[in-house]
Amino acid sequence: EMWIGAPGWASANVNEVKVRDYDLLSFIEPIRAEESVKTARVKDSIAKDEGYAFYCYKPHAIWYMFDVYMLSDPAYDPAKYTMVQPSDSPDWYEESNVATKDALKNVQIAWSKSLYDRSPAIAEFFERFSLTADDVSGFAFEISGNGKDPADVAKEWIAANSDRVDS
């Protein structure tokens, strides 16, 4: 089996098509279940020394929770990537073709324009601030995996990354 995402996730639809178009259906059953089910299955598979394939992305806490690695996909090719969602067509599965990695997503930090008036120093900080996917994965693990207070996680990160914070 391969966990492809939670019920209702658009990415689960993409992964269902991808399993078909990567020609994996003859030996992998795509599974939709809540993310907690995936996490439990990963933990169980590691304890049993079994392999387990699952959909994930960076940033995500799982990269800090377990000794797992990301498999490679063929590079994104728009000619081999057509995804039609169920909300757009009842024949979405037949109309879709996903035979490559997804296009790279660009995630950005955003803030309201009023921040410049309310707190110019914070707005200036955000203009220069950046995080890596590994930074955010670590935050997610500490907060959701270890139950730490977000303010404490931020303080620890700032202390450990003063070179980045002060630049």
Side-chain angles (χ1 to χ4, degrees):
E1 72 181 43
M2 176 181 170
W3 185 81
I4 60 170
W9 287 9
S11 58
N13 299 331
V14 172
N15 291 324
E16 184 173 348
V17 173
K18 191 178 282 190
V19 168
R20 179 198 67 199
D21 293 348
Y22 281 11
D23 201 24
L24 303 175
L25 284 175
S26 63
F27 60 94
I28 290 182
E29 177 186 359
I31 302 294
R32 289 180 192 243
E34 294 305 323
E35 193 161 11
S36 59
V37 172
K38 174 216 38 184
T39 304
R41 183 66 176 102
V42 170
K43 183 177 182 179
D44 185 57
S45 294
I46 290 170
K48 293 178 178 177
D49 200 27
E50 298 174 345
Y52 188 71
F54 59 94
Y55 163 71
C56 202
Y57 46 83
K58 285 187 176 184
H60 196 284
I62 201 158
W63 305 111
Y64 285 78
M65 295 170 73
F66 304 108
D67 185 19
V68 295
Y69 62 93
M70 190 175 291
L71 300 174
S72 61
D73 281 290
Y76 174 70
D77 180 349
K80 296 179 180 176
Y81 193 106
T82 303
M83 185 61 208
V84 179
Q85 289 291 339
S87 58
D88 297 325
S89 172
D91 299 320
W92 68 275
Y93 186 73
E94 293 77 18
E95 294 172 3
S96 296
N97 175 43
V98 179
T100 70
K101 179 186 291 193
D102 295 354
L104 185 62
K105 313 295 190 283
N106 187 7
V107 179
Q108 298 179 1
I109 298 171
W111 59 92
S112 80
K113 290 182 180 182
S114 68
L115 189 61
Y116 290 101
D117 295 327
R118 292 182 292 121
S119 185
I122 292 175
E124 181 183 347
F125 170 78
F126 278 139
E127 286 176 337
R128 295 188 312 232
F129 183 71
S130 67
L131 294 170
T132 67
D134 286 338
D135 292 332
V136 179
S137 293
F139 296 160
F141 172 68
E142 293 299 334
I143 294 165
S144 66
N146 286 337
K148 286 188 175 180
D149 181 84
D152 292 337
V153 172
K155 287 175 190 172
E156 291 169 10
W157 185 88
I158 289 168
N161 292 277
S162 60
D163 57 326
R164 290 171 60 189
V165 173
D166 294 336
S167 64

